[in-house]
Amino acid sequence: MTTATVTGKPEEPVVATKNYLTEGGVTLRSWLLTRDHKRIAILYTLSITFFFFVGGAAATLIRLNLVTPPGIFTPDIYNRLFTLHGVIMVWFFLIPSIPNTMGNFLIPLMIGAKDLAFPRLNLLSWYLYVGAGFLALFAILIGGVDTGWTFYTPFSSLYSNGYVVLALAAVLAVGFSSILTGLNFIVTTHRMRAPGMTWYRLPVFVWSNYATSVIMVLATPVLAITLILVAAERLLKVGIFDPALGGDPLLFQHLFWFYSHPAVYIMILPGFGVISEIVPCFARKPLFGYKFVVWSSIAISVIGFFVWAHHMFVAGISLYAGLVFSLLSYVIAVPSAIKVFNWTATLHKGWISFDAPMLYALGFIGLFTIGGLTGLFVANLAFDVHVTDTYFVVAHFHYIMVGGMVSAYFGGLHYWWPKVTGRLYPEWWARIAALLIFFGFNLTFFPQFILGYLGMERRYYSYPPEFQAWNIFSSAGASVLAVGYALPFFYLGWSLFRGKRAGANPWAATGLEWQTPSPPPTHNFDRTPTVTRPPYQYRPEPEPQDV
Amino acid sequence: MTTRTTGLPRSYLFTWAALVGLLAATMALAYVPMPGPLNLVLALGISAVKALLVLALFMKLFRAPALTRAAAAAGLFWLAVLFALSATDYLTRKVEPAGDLSAPTGREYQQGDR
Amino acid sequence: MSDAAPASQSAPQPEPQYATVEQQAEAASFGMWVFLATEVLFFGGMLLAYTWLRANHPDGVAEAGRHTTVVIGSVNTLVLLTSSFTMAWAVHAAEHGRQKALTRLLSATALLGLLFLGLKGYEYHGEWTEHLVPGLNFHQDGPHARTIELFYFLYFLLTGLHGIHVTIGIVLIALLAVRARRGAFSARYYTPVEVTGLYWHFVDIVWIFLYPLIYLVGRSGP
């Protein structure tokens, strides 16, 4: 139990009586003042789920509005809805989703540590997140914001009549939460690894969260200062982004996208990590090209900083800058493609079983590939001029963010559910949900590629009648998607009380997190483990017990 | 490190003296008319030397573990990325005439900020 | 970072997540350096805005720079450089277990920080009376009035955020001084002193760059 020996056999289902859920008390106080990374991960999961449904409700209303032009909402309400959807989904779901829930829970377990390096900072990070979330909700409830999640100046700073400053403050606070998490992960990965856990023995999940943390720590401060500049400009009516004063609104876009493009990789890199854990386990094969996968994560986090102005091709930047950023945007496709090839090669001649996590993982690979390839379209200057600010772009990034990241989130949630709760989820329900999400997603967003290519602009409350058929497809897909996302809420909740006991290692997976009981004890391991082997030592063929 | 009875390492005293000397120098040089951006270059150059002194001797950066130096280098590298890649736009952007800045901007109708 | 170890003079124990005190000290120091990297980009974003303004409106920025109070700026630079010196000395004293010297040097550092803030406040007051506060109390004439307003917009944000950093530093250092007086640190355990020192030196470095960018602009001009 204390070494990383890989047995391939499920452990005897042991009901761990002393675990992190029971040790230290079950009072509300013991949860709200906890320093245990696993409990903080649970706190994050609950709050993130709440915001996911808030953002999802806004998306539902948006799709409802777009069924019948000119829709059911006034343009002003519609503007507030898509801003709400964007702000909540980007900063209160996608950015913290995998790192703060699974990363928080698993990184110390995977590297054989007792906790993160700075547990108090970790708790502070959650309080910042929750405080920021309530501030954002407050801004929405008293009247909302109509700037879009991008807060473009000079609209946001001088013209918008929404509660922009409150929303900016909320995003600023959640940004600091993100910085603290990133800092914690970086120090933990460097300083807290168990004996023998060398860098090339780290699971890819840890590597990709490390790469994510680098972005969090180095990009988020630029967002913070940008938001402060906008807020000051709005409050003082004077600012560096105001063209009437000789300022430059494009400077805002440069600063904003210096954060917000790398932030896209904050949203997707942890997903890569989850998929790299699931695919080898359910193909019963070592991850193909481990080092390539690892270094492509690092490459993405670095090159991700070099591409931001591809959001600004038609905004008025110089043609030369457009060429440079277009070229760099093609470059970043290389490490992303490496990953897809490696996962595919891992599947090759594998002994594949289609459990729910694997269904999500396979869905991820396909949807991310579509999202990535259309990313190449919009990296192309000429094509981008045609589709800028259309639904083509909306579809492209939803394929990455929802088809990719949310699939990975659900995949990871199912994969580690037994570890976190000690219970198995109902497999058939989970497979049905995974399939519903996959088909609902494609039905929702594939028509949007067509709509965008035909010229339907994003962020408009209405559209010409010839676009209606595709919009009805899209809204129909959204309702399937909504059912798909609601299902796990119920059956996972049910499994908390009625699910079968999981045992330490229900998937016969490798990795230190499976070597400790489910749910794990407060300090993770009875004795600090010593690692002697690389990760993903799956046997080529399954053993009889696996079936 | 040599320590006297006061417990003050000499190197710290010298560093402080050097910093003050550089402060005086940068102030004096700022008043000397120089061609082009030379004033700015000198001022920032001196600042860089001062910062290096603080980093090297007060923060002991160059005796720190490689990891620590990497963290410091990362901050500077990404700062350079921010400036360099923004420069690809700003140095090559064709500046259009600003137009009539007294023209209505729309802010005339603006309500108070909330 | 904020995760300080329990104060104990004889045999310091690491927090439960660490194996050894050394591991804890390394983690704290590295964590602070990562945080400082974050801070570089925090101030860097605004320096980009400054660079843009200065590159596009050089004459206006030069004129604005001549409105600043170079004497206060220079004295304040001297104050901060000296406080960095006393801070470095304090860490040295901690390293050698000299409790009394440590308490005094930390107090001196905090007092120098307060002096800096006092002078800064006096300077702000002067700028208010000269109608140089954008948005609230700004009134300048001449062809560069708009640029001067933008310069002062950035000036107040840069020095204001720097001032917040100084304030946080003073609080941290004052708390350390109190703890040092109670004998919380020893030659074997002084990580909080070292880590706070790193932060304080960084705040000093930021000012080292702000000083020429704010106070020395346009001094050689008319």
Side-chain angles (χ1 to χ4, degrees):
Chain A
M1 284 289 276
T2 54
T3 55
T5 48
V6 181
T7 60
K9 288 179 204 163
E11 303 286 334
E12 283 298 304
V14 185
V15 182
T17 46
K18 290 277 273 178
N19 61 53
Y20 76 102
L21 294 168
T22 55
E23 271 178 277
V26 290
T27 57
L28 189 63
R29 185 189 154 83
S30 76
W31 277 86
L32 292 180
L33 295 178
T34 184
R35 291 181 211 157
D36 183 352
H37 66 103
K38 297 182 289 303
R39 284 192 167 201
I40 296 172
I42 301 287
L43 293 175
Y44 261 116
T45 310
L46 295 175
S47 33
I48 278 171
T49 307
F50 171 71
F51 284 106
F52 180 68
F53 282 109
V54 172
T60 311
L61 294 176
I62 290 170
R63 281 317 321 168
L64 202 61
N65 185 72
L66 291 176
V67 176
T68 50
I72 49 180
F73 299 118
T74 63
D76 206 37
I77 301 274
Y78 185 79
N79 291 346
R80 277 152 220 269
L81 276 176
F82 72 69
T83 305
L84 163 65
H85 173 68
V87 169
I88 295 289
M89 282 304 198
V90 168
W91 278 297
F92 295 95
F93 178 70
L94 286 167
I95 297 260
S97 59
I98 290 181
N100 281 338
T101 59
M102 289 163 221
N104 228 330
F105 196 98
L106 292 165
I107 287 174
L109 281 167
M110 284 180 162
I111 65 174
K114 292 188 185 120
D115 205 322
L116 290 173
F118 308 117
R120 261 170 284 200
L121 222 51
N122 196 17
L123 184 64
L124 174 65
S125 165
W126 179 71
Y127 275 103
L128 277 173
Y129 169 84
V130 172
F134 283 123
L135 199 56
L137 284 182
F138 178 66
I140 289 155
L141 287 177
I142 60 173
V145 184
D146 61 350
T147 59
W149 76 277
T150 47
F151 299 116
Y152 267 24
T153 56
F155 180 72
S156 63
S157 55
L158 300 172
Y159 301 100
S160 163
N161 63 0
Y163 292 85
V164 178
V165 174
L166 271 182
L168 293 174
V171 175
L172 186 69
V174 82
F176 282 115
S177 156
S178 180
I179 289 175
L180 295 183
T181 301
L183 192 152
N184 222 336
F185 285 0
I186 290 177
V187 176
T188 303
T189 312
H190 274 287
R191 287 288 178 226
M192 310 292 281
R193 282 171 286 129
M197 182 54 94
T198 58
W199 282 89
Y200 283 138
R201 286 180 189 163
L202 284 175
V204 173
F205 183 78
V206 178
W207 270 103
S208 47
N209 272 284
Y210 179 82
T212 309
S213 304
V214 170
I215 304 176
M216 286 175 164
V217 162
L218 292 168
T220 319
V222 177
L223 173 76
I225 202 67
T226 313
L227 299 179
I228 291 172
L229 283 167
V230 175
E233 181 161 338
R234 189 169 170 86
L235 293 171
L236 299 172
K237 306 287 174 214
V238 178
I240 194 80
F241 304 134
D242 181 1
L245 284 172
D248 183 18
L250 275 190
L251 183 62
F252 168 82
Q253 297 186 22
H254 276 299
L255 288 168
F256 180 81
W257 289 114
F258 180 84
Y259 164 77
S260 291
H261 193 77
V264 171
Y265 300 106
I266 296 180
M267 302 180 217
I268 194 69
L269 273 168
F272 293 160
V274 170
I275 302 308
S276 304
E277 299 298 315
I278 294 176
V279 168
C281 177
F282 292 92
R284 310 310 300 170
K285 271 185 67 194
L287 183 67
F288 184 86
Y290 169 87
K291 286 187 185 175
F292 278 91
V293 177
V294 160
W295 285 104
S296 62
S297 292
I298 301 297
I300 286 172
S301 81
V302 175
I303 303 172
F305 278 91
F306 303 165
V307 301
W308 78 78
H310 67 212
H311 294 269
M312 303 161 62
F313 284 157
V314 300
I317 59 169
S318 75
L319 182 62
Y320 173 76
L323 291 173
V324 169
F325 279 101
S326 174
L327 180 72
L328 288 166
S329 304
Y330 279 116
V331 170
I332 199 159
V334 176
S336 311
I338 287 176
K339 282 176 185 291
V340 172
F341 290 136
N342 278 295
W343 295 321
T344 318
T346 308
L347 294 174
H348 180 63
K349 291 190 175 170
W351 193 278
I352 298 170
S353 54
F354 294 96
D355 295 286
M358 188 60 159
L359 290 181
Y360 282 109
L362 295 173
F364 174 99
I365 295 173
L367 299 178
F368 172 75
T369 304
I370 294 178
L373 289 177
T374 50
L376 289 177
F377 287 37
V378 288
N380 179 305
L381 275 173
F383 188 81
D384 188 64
V385 171
H386 177 62
V387 297
T388 288
D389 280 342
T390 69
Y391 269 85
F392 190 91
V393 176
V394 174
H396 155 66
F397 71 74
H398 278 87
Y399 263 81
I400 305 278
M401 307 281 81
V402 184
M405 186 63 165
V406 180
S407 292
Y409 180 77
F410 275 92
L413 193 64
H414 287 83
Y415 181 56
W416 284 294
W417 185 259
K419 180 51 62 184
V420 174
T421 64
R423 305 271 189 170
L424 294 174
Y425 60 84
E427 184 61 41
W428 278 102
W429 279 107
R431 290 186 194 182
I432 289 168
L435 291 173
L436 277 179
I437 288 173
F438 183 79
F439 288 112
F441 175 83
N442 280 299
L443 189 55
T444 310
F445 290 102
F446 203 86
Q448 297 187 6
F449 279 125
I450 299 162
L451 280 170
Y453 189 79
L454 294 176
M456 181 170 161
E457 293 278 333
R458 67 193 282 204
R459 292 184 171 175
Y460 279 61
Y461 72 103
S462 187
Y463 52 82
E466 65 262 30
F467 295 142
Q468 194 176 11
W470 293 116
N471 270 297
I472 289 175
F473 277 127
S474 183
S475 293
S479 46
V480 178
L481 200 51
V483 174
Y485 286 143
L487 265 183
F489 190 74
F490 295 107
Y491 66 73
L492 288 178
W494 175 88
S495 80
L496 279 180
F497 305 100
R498 299 289 172 83
K500 269 199 286 184
R501 297 279 175 186
N505 192 359
W507 306 119
T510 66
L512 287 182
E513 80 268 30
W514 301 107
Q515 306 296 321
T516 192
S518 312
T522 296
H523 283 299
N524 296 348
F525 300 95
D526 296 332
R527 272 190 297 149
T528 303
T530 305
V531 183
T532 51
R533 303 171 72 176
Y536 312 117
Q537 295 290 300
Y538 290 101
R539 299 179 182 194
E541 64 279 337
E543 291 171 274
Q545 298 98 307
D546 283 336
V547 183
Chain B
M1 196 175 291
T2 53
T3 36
R4 295 182 299 179
T5 45
T6 54
L8 168 64
R10 262 190 213 126
S11 62
Y12 286 177
L13 199 61
F14 291 148
T15 310
W16 178 76
L19 287 170
V20 174
L22 285 168
L23 168 63
T26 188
M27 201 167 107
L29 284 170
Y31 286 89
V32 181
M34 289 179 215
L38 201 57
N39 278 107
L40 176 65
V41 171
L42 269 178
L44 286 181
I46 291 177
S47 291
V49 174
K50 280 154 82 180
L52 266 179
L53 283 174
V54 174
L55 279 170
L57 288 132
F58 287 168
M59 300 171 88
K60 300 176 187 163
L61 177 61
F62 298 106
R63 280 192 283 144
L67 187 57
T68 300
R69 282 176 275 152
L76 292 179
F77 174 74
W78 264 273
L79 183 68
V81 168
L82 173 64
F83 274 73
L85 284 176
S86 300
T88 63
D89 174 22
Y90 284 109
L91 294 183
T92 59
R93 201 192 291 172
K94 201 171 135 220
V95 180
E96 304 289 347
D100 182 7
L101 292 175
S102 62
T105 60
R107 285 158 71 186
E108 293 82 0
Y109 310 104
Q110 197 172 345
Q111 301 299 308
D113 184 50
R114 304 194 212 174
Chain C
M1 302 307 295
S2 64
D3 293 271
S8 154
Q9 273 178 309
S10 48
Q13 291 297 313
E15 294 221 326
Q17 70 271 29
Y18 297 106
T20 60
V21 184
E22 287 72 31
Q23 188 191 21
Q24 174 168 315
E26 280 173 1
S29 157
F30 178 54
M32 180 49 85
W33 277 100
V34 173
F35 179 70
L36 295 185
T38 296
E39 292 275 36
V40 168
L41 281 133
F42 184 74
F43 283 99
M46 206 148 31
L47 289 178
L48 182 71
Y50 173 92
T51 309
W52 178 86
L53 183 69
R54 187 157 174 184
N56 282 275
H57 306 281
D59 299 334
V61 171
E63 196 186 322
R66 287 192 286 273
H67 278 85
T68 57
T69 319
V70 71
V71 177
I72 298 182
S74 307
V75 172
N76 255 347
T77 313
L78 183 65
V79 169
L80 267 199
L81 289 175
T82 310
S83 78
S84 229
F85 164 67
T86 54
M87 187 72 222
W89 193 359
V91 175
H92 184 76
E95 212 172 346
H96 291 80
R98 283 195 292 271
Q99 302 289 328
K100 245 185 196 162
L102 173 62
T103 311
R104 280 183 199 151
L105 286 164
L106 286 173
S107 311
T109 310
L111 286 176
L112 285 167
L114 281 176
L115 178 61
F116 175 90
L117 285 185
L119 286 170
K120 197 74 220 156
Y122 179 71
E123 194 184 352
Y124 281 165
H125 176 258
E127 275 139 10
W128 179 267
T129 55
E130 283 176 48
H131 303 289
L132 283 167
V133 185
L136 300 174
N137 182 17
F138 188 85
H139 185 78
Q140 297 291 318
D141 295 318
H144 298 310
R146 283 201 196 98
T147 308
I148 295 174
E149 194 169 10
L150 288 184
F151 178 89
Y152 270 92
F153 174 78
L154 289 178
Y155 161 84
F156 278 106
L157 278 175
L158 276 166
T159 57
L161 288 171
H162 178 263
I164 291 173
H165 281 80
V166 173
T167 311
I168 293 171
I170 292 171
V171 172
L172 291 177
I173 291 168
L175 289 176
L176 286 182
V178 172
R179 284 176 68 192
R181 217 177 108 89
R182 291 189 191 143
F185 305 115
S186 65
R188 291 176 66 183
Y189 172 70
Y190 59 97
T191 310
V193 182
E194 194 185 0
V195 169
T196 312
L198 291 176
Y199 171 82
W200 189 256
H201 295 310
F202 175 80
V203 173
D204 186 28
I205 289 178
V206 171
W207 186 260
I208 286 175
F209 284 98
L210 290 188
Y211 169 66
L213 294 177
I214 290 171
Y215 295 96
L216 301 183
V217 193
R219 292 290 164 195
S220 63

